[in-house]
Amino acid sequence: MWRHASRPREGWQQTVTQQGLVFPTTTRPDGSVVDYWHESAWYELTMAEVEHLEAATEELWALCVDAAGWMAAHLTDERLGLPPGSLAYVRESVRRGDPALHARFDLAYGGDGSVKMLEVNGDTPTGLVETGVVQWRWVEDVLPGSDQWNSLHDRLVARWRALSWSGALDGPEVHFLYDLGEGPSYDDGELEMTVHYLVDTAVQAGLRAMAHPIAELGWDAEARRFVDVHGRPVRNAYKLYPWEDMLGEEFGRLLREGAEAQPVRWLEPAWKVLLSTKALLPVLWERNPGHPLLLPAYFDAPGDLTAWVAKPLHGREGDNVRIHLADGSETRMPGAYGQEGFVYQEYVELPVHDGNHVVLGSWVVDGEAAGMIVRESDGLVTDYYSRVVPHAISDAVSPDAAQVQSWLADRGPAPRVPVLPD
């Protein structure tokens, strides 16, 4: 993989904003403004590299699904920092085989071709607009005719269509719920933007969709059902809101206690809380010791690791991460996480291109690799101020519609949902 300098398109901020990316820049606490969408550079990959990353992504997905089944059967609410009764609710989701939509792995892709899983966001992944729309439009404008590892949009539409046709959804209407945030927690519209993009993919699949903040979700006590902002029953719901937060709130209690007369069909399903928590990392290592795609990881203490990263179980965006290097130096990130406990993962040096620390975000839709997003940061931690940089495949041409449909139909044997062990 190579990094190249590039001349930004004239009016690029207006262009990407019109394409749905509502925050092309980020304002730092000191008031300085930096690019969030950064097209002064791009990354070149070969098709062989993409195929290598695709295979690694789908193998990691299979390991995560296996680990989730084991976690649901063997771990406790206390171990995961969840309210009592949470795992009982999660186990029912596993037993039903509740279908999922998507996930995003964060990978360190070394210059020697090594791939290491840093973590996976299986519950509330963001970056969809950047991956599925903005970087694809960039390659069409800047490198016309070139290919990109990016079937995300087509796979999302196909996934919604499959969920509808298979009967996994209760009717053709889906509510899309998101955390609007307010005050210091306002995210510049990231979650609202992401949800409205997913609304578009669902509508393209023939579904009816409505989106509103999850805070406006209501409870009809007489009918024992959740209702939307207009009082309409919610039958299917995509929520961009963490399960670990939902389960600890008043409405989460209703879920844990089985208060619904007819349960909502959630996307992501409740078992995805197991792919949201960093507790997944030591479980993966314990079940697959020495696996070349994984890093050693442990609960509660770093064990024999000399360079490690402490990650809060429920942490996001690098908050409260602590990096301890072999020379004793440490980097600590601020944040509000950590009361729920930590895991310790071996530190791996991120590849550095022209002074930028690079993490690859590798997407999965229904268990199949679906594309990549590149994020750069100035320091060791990929945080709120990282930059998204587009990429292209140098030895492939843009596929035609027939080729895309062939890829969508070429379904592999990847596991879709976890299974409780006997």
Side-chain angles (χ1 to χ4, degrees):
M1 190 169 83
W2 302 268
R3 187 180 193 271
H4 301 284
S6 181
R7 184 190 300 274
R9 292 167 292 179
E10 188 75 24
W12 65 270
Q13 290 192 19
Q14 182 179 11
T15 297
V16 300
T17 302
Q18 290 174 339
Q19 292 166 356
L21 183 61
V22 298
F23 48 91
T25 58
T26 304
T27 302
R28 292 181 179 273
D30 64 3
S32 61
V33 177
V34 296
D35 288 353
Y36 171 69
W37 171 256
H38 185 73
E39 60 177 63
S40 295
W42 65 281
Y43 282 86
E44 173 190 355
L45 291 90
T46 66
M47 182 55 78
E49 287 179 306
V50 170
E51 290 173 348
H52 176 54
L53 289 164
E54 282 184 326
T57 299
E58 294 184 357
E59 184 171 356
L60 284 170
W61 174 255
L63 297 180
C64 289
V65 169
D66 166 75
W70 187 91
M71 293 167 73
H74 295 286
L75 295 187
T76 64
D77 294 322
E78 183 179 15
R79 172 80 278 180
L80 296 175
L82 298 173
S86 295
L87 274 178
Y89 180 70
V90 169
R91 291 187 195 103
E92 289 305 310
S93 173
V94 175
R95 289 192 181 97
R96 288 192 300 267
D98 288 347
L101 184 66
H102 59 0
R104 193 199 71 230
F105 287 97
D106 284 348
L107 306 176
Y109 181 43
D112 59 355
S114 63
V115 178
K116 298 293 184 184
M117 173 183 163
L118 303 174
E119 56 194 50
V120 62
N121 189 333
D123 185 23
T124 59
T126 55
L128 291 169
V129 176
E130 299 90 314
T131 306
V133 179
V134 178
Q135 70 168 352
W136 181 252
R137 296 292 182 86
W138 173 88
V139 82
E140 288 183 326
D141 287 348
V142 178
L143 298 169
S146 297
D147 200 4
Q148 188 177 78
W149 181 20
N150 194 354
S151 59
L152 183 64
H153 182 87
D154 294 301
R155 289 190 184 279
L156 286 171
V157 174
R159 182 59 179 149
W160 284 118
R161 190 174 292 123
L163 288 169
S164 177
W165 289 355
S166 69
L169 300 180
D170 182 5
E173 185 172 88
V174 182
H175 284 79
F176 289 79
L177 310 170
Y178 56 93
D179 184 14
L180 184 61
E182 58 184 12
S185 68
Y186 183 63
D187 65 355
D188 292 329
E190 181 182 28
L191 302 187
E192 186 173 8
M193 171 190 80
T194 303
V195 155
H196 281 84
Y197 170 63
L198 283 171
V199 165
D200 181 56
T201 61
V203 170
Q204 288 189 37
L207 295 167
R208 297 199 301 269
M210 166 180 277
H212 65 69
I214 197 167
E216 296 177 359
L217 189 68
W219 174 251
D220 183 335
E222 183 174 347
R224 294 189 295 127
R225 66 190 182 192
F226 290 104
V227 293
D228 68 15
V229 67
H230 300 298
R232 292 164 49 86
V234 175
R235 303 301 320 127
N236 310 293
Y238 175 91
K239 52 86 197 165
L240 199 54
Y241 193 65
W243 268 111
E244 61 265 23
D245 291 342
M246 283 179 61
L247 289 167
E249 296 171 355
E250 181 60 23
F251 278 2
R253 180 186 61 79
L254 298 169
L255 295 172
R256 289 186 279 115
E257 295 179 355
E260 295 173 281
Q262 188 176 352
V264 173
R265 301 189 185 190
W266 292 99
L267 290 161
E268 298 293 336
W271 62 261
K272 280 298 195 76
V273 72
L274 303 169
L275 268 59
S276 178
T277 173
K278 304 301 187 293
L280 174 71
L281 301 175
V283 173
L284 281 171
W285 186 249
E286 183 176 343
R287 292 183 63 73
N288 308 277
H291 196 290
L293 298 176
L294 302 175
L295 293 165
Y298 306 99
F299 282 108
D300 302 325
D304 59 354
L305 301 177
T306 56
W308 42 263
V309 183
K311 298 182 175 181
L313 296 184
H314 300 166
R316 293 169 184 273
E317 301 281 3
D319 282 359
N320 299 101
V321 161
R322 176 184 168 198
I323 298 178
H324 177 95
L325 301 182
D327 63 4
S329 62
E330 290 202 346
T331 299
R332 294 172 181 253
M333 300 298 290
Y337 298 102
Q339 293 297 316
E340 71 278 15
F342 283 83
V343 300
Y344 292 78
Q345 183 185 51
E346 184 178 64
Y347 171 76
V348 61
E349 189 171 347
L350 294 176
V352 179
H353 295 262
D354 298 335
N356 301 283
H357 301 257
V358 175
V359 168
L360 300 189
S362 178
W363 288 95
V364 167
V365 176
D366 191 25
E368 298 200 2
M372 181 182 81
I373 185 174
V374 181
R375 286 182 295 165
E376 294 181 339
S377 60
D378 296 329
L380 303 182
V381 179
T382 305
D383 59 10
Y384 294 102
Y385 309 108
S386 64
R387 301 168 290 278
V388 173
V389 183
H391 76 276
I393 304 173
S394 57
D395 56 352
V397 296
S398 182
D400 59 23
Q403 181 65 68
V404 172
Q405 291 306 311
S406 171
W407 288 334
L408 296 179
D410 185 23
R411 304 190 60 77
R416 306 300 192 240
V417 296
V419 177
L420 290 173
D422 295 333

